[in-house]
Amino acid sequence: MEVKLTAAGPHATSTTWSLPEVRNITQNRLLLHLFFWTVYVVFFGLLYGSYIDDYYNAFMVELVELPFKMALVYFNMYYLMPHYLLQKRYLEFFVYLLLLMGAIGALMQFVLLPFLIHPLFCPTTCTEDNLTFYRFVKNIVNINYVVAITAVIALLKNWYSHQQAARNLTQDKLEAELKVLKAQIHPHFLFNTLNSLYALTLKKADTAPEVVLKLSSLMDYMLYEANAAQVPLQKELEYIKNYIALERMRYGNRVEVRYTEVGNVAGRHIAPMLLLPFVENAFKHGVSTETTNAWVRIEVKVTGTQLTLLVENCKCGDRASNSTRDMASGIGLKNLQRRLELLYEGRYELEMEDEPESYAARLVLDLGEY
């Protein structure tokens, strides 16, 4: 016999539980129930024993009444509550519960007390007054203690289970959305890089083999390392540098590219493929036309746990006037903002400046502790 459960979380995998593991959980559950009833008997035995100054009889009475109380408690927890209370059928629940408590109370009052408890445990202290209606009501109130305690425990457990299920469902939804967003980035990047390689091969450029080597390195990172939730910031920046090197080979002296990096990136981690769209957009829409005055500036600054990325590009040529188009739709700005909201909610600032002659994007990110 095997029970398959799927665990939720960032690194969740399908887990198979064998019969011994299920048995251990069941045993632990039985131990918890045994512990509860032991505590209950001890507490009320001591309480009533101190009241009548007879601990032996108090404990014996609690033990004799215990099976009836347990039957009422478990019937309430596993039948009445799931079928009526949790289904919001409140009136039916309380009517059935009161009828059941009355039946158990009557059984204890008019059967157990006169024929078992009275003759065996308290022949001198128990009197005929114990068979009055007042005593019957008092017994119902006594039963109500354990029913109320166990009902509260069951409701808290049910609430906690629903909260956990809701959190797991939300987490699964976020992870699925992140996978979709990352899946959009990968083919988009590959398509643009292959276009660059195609342009070089048309010109029979000597740098084409080097482009293939760089592209191979980028593909290795994109297909294998970028599948992790977090990657070292140093590797992410090396990935961007390789991409910049590819674009330098493609444009040659027609585009002035300046990349600066300040601060210590060692030990810092970041979500993969998060910074590339800024750089890619600068080349694709800012300097993709034939021009001799194009420029791209990329600045990376790390201060403590804070990363600042500034990407600026000129608007050179007619096509560059639409430099914000890709960042405003598709896998551009909307994709980036959604990933930032999912991964760094409340820990990032994103600013865009669209000037007549230039375009700039500035991202401030709190990397926190990995």
Side-chain angles (χ1 to χ4, degrees):
M1 174 183 176
E2 291 187 343
V3 181
K4 287 193 174 184
L5 299 179
T6 302
H11 306 290
T13 56
S14 180
T15 304
T16 302
W17 285 14
S18 62
L19 184 59
E21 293 173 301
V22 176
R23 188 182 298 116
N24 289 336
I25 294 175
T26 305
Q27 290 174 348
N28 291 337
R29 189 176 180 183
L30 291 175
L31 288 176
L32 288 175
H33 283 241
L34 180 62
F35 174 76
F36 170 82
W37 289 114
T38 302
V39 171
Y40 174 81
V41 170
V42 170
F43 176 79
F44 283 98
L46 291 174
L47 180 65
Y48 294 139
S50 63
Y51 178 73
I52 64 175
D53 199 22
D54 188 344
Y55 291 101
Y56 173 76
N57 285 336
F59 275 104
M60 293 307 296
V61 169
E62 286 297 328
L63 289 174
V64 170
E65 293 180 347
L66 186 62
F68 299 91
K69 293 179 179 179
M70 290 177 65
L72 175 60
V73 164
Y74 287 122
F75 186 79
N76 177 54
M77 289 175 57
Y78 294 109
Y79 182 78
L80 291 182
M81 291 181 65
H83 288 82
Y84 296 101
L85 182 62
L86 298 181
Q87 300 299 324
K88 298 183 179 181
R89 299 165 65 180
Y90 303 119
L91 180 60
E92 295 173 273
F93 169 75
F94 285 111
V95 169
Y96 290 142
L97 180 61
L98 288 175
L99 290 175
L100 188 60
M101 290 174 62
I104 296 293
L107 180 64
M108 295 170 60
Q109 178 75 14
F110 301 109
V111 178
L112 286 182
L113 188 61
F115 297 106
L116 183 61
I117 296 176
H118 188 175
L120 293 180
F121 304 118
C122 53
T124 57
T125 56
C126 295
T127 65
E128 292 299 323
D129 292 338
N130 291 323
L131 300 177
T132 63
F133 180 75
Y134 169 76
R135 181 66 181 180
F136 173 74
V137 174
K138 191 174 181 179
N139 282 341
I140 295 296
V141 174
N142 182 31
I143 296 173
N144 191 50
Y145 289 150
V146 66
V147 173
I149 293 171
T150 53
V152 168
I153 294 174
L155 288 174
L156 289 175
K157 182 180 178 181
N158 181 73
W159 174 83
Y160 179 77
S161 298
H162 278 78
Q163 291 294 107
Q164 286 292 101
R167 279 195 292 267
N168 291 340
L169 183 62
T170 301
Q171 184 65 28
D172 290 344
K173 182 179 178 181
L174 293 180
E175 290 176 7
E177 190 170 350
L178 279 173
K179 288 180 180 179
V180 171
L181 292 175
K182 288 175 65 177
Q184 290 175 342
I185 291 175
H186 291 183
H188 177 81
F189 163 75
L190 180 60
F191 178 77
N192 288 337
T193 306
L194 289 177
N195 272 344
S196 300
L197 178 60
Y198 176 69
L200 290 173
T201 54
L202 285 179
K203 299 176 182 179
K204 302 187 185 311
D206 296 335
T207 56
E210 189 176 352
V211 170
V212 173
L213 187 61
K214 291 282 186 184
L215 179 60
S216 174
S217 175
L218 293 175
M219 289 289 293
D220 179 73
Y221 177 84
M222 182 180 68
L223 295 177
Y224 299 105
E225 298 185 56
N227 288 325
Q230 297 266 321
V231 296
L233 178 59
Q234 186 172 0
K235 284 192 174 183
E236 183 74 5
L237 294 180
E238 287 177 359
Y239 175 74
I240 290 177
K241 291 175 190 175
N242 283 335
Y243 177 81
I244 294 173
L246 282 176
E247 295 291 32
R248 279 176 171 158
M249 293 177 192
R250 176 185 176 186
Y251 291 108
N253 297 327
R254 300 195 311 274
V255 178
E256 177 191 351
V257 182
R258 187 176 69 185
Y259 175 87
T260 58
E261 185 178 312
V262 179
N264 183 18
V265 301
R268 300 299 171 198
H269 291 74
I270 191 173
M273 307 284 289
L274 193 65
L275 306 180
L276 177 68
F278 294 102
V279 178
E280 186 182 20
N281 185 72
F283 281 100
K284 181 179 179 182
H285 293 284
V287 299
S288 57
T289 55
E290 296 290 336
T291 179
T292 57
N293 298 315
W295 55 267
V296 175
R297 300 189 183 98
I298 303 163
E299 299 179 6
V300 178
K301 183 179 180 181
V302 179
T303 306
T305 62
Q306 181 175 288
L307 167 70
T308 302
L309 172 69
L310 176 62
V311 180
E312 297 177 282
N313 62 269
C314 68
K315 291 184 177 180
C316 307
D318 296 334
R319 290 179 57 194
S321 61
N322 296 320
S323 62
T324 61
R325 181 177 301 167
D326 183 61
M327 292 294 288
S329 61
I331 65 168
L333 180 59
K334 291 181 179 179
N335 183 301
L336 270 173
Q337 287 181 328
R338 186 56 183 157
R339 291 192 72 204
L340 287 169
E341 289 170 5
L342 294 174
L343 297 169
Y344 297 95
E345 182 179 5
R347 295 192 292 143
Y348 77 94
E349 294 179 11
L350 180 60
E351 299 176 358
M352 304 288 186
E353 293 184 6
D354 193 1
E355 302 293 338
E357 301 296 327
S358 65
Y359 182 79
R362 181 175 178 270
L363 174 67
V364 179
L365 198 62
D366 181 13
L367 300 178
E369 296 297 331
Y370 177 62

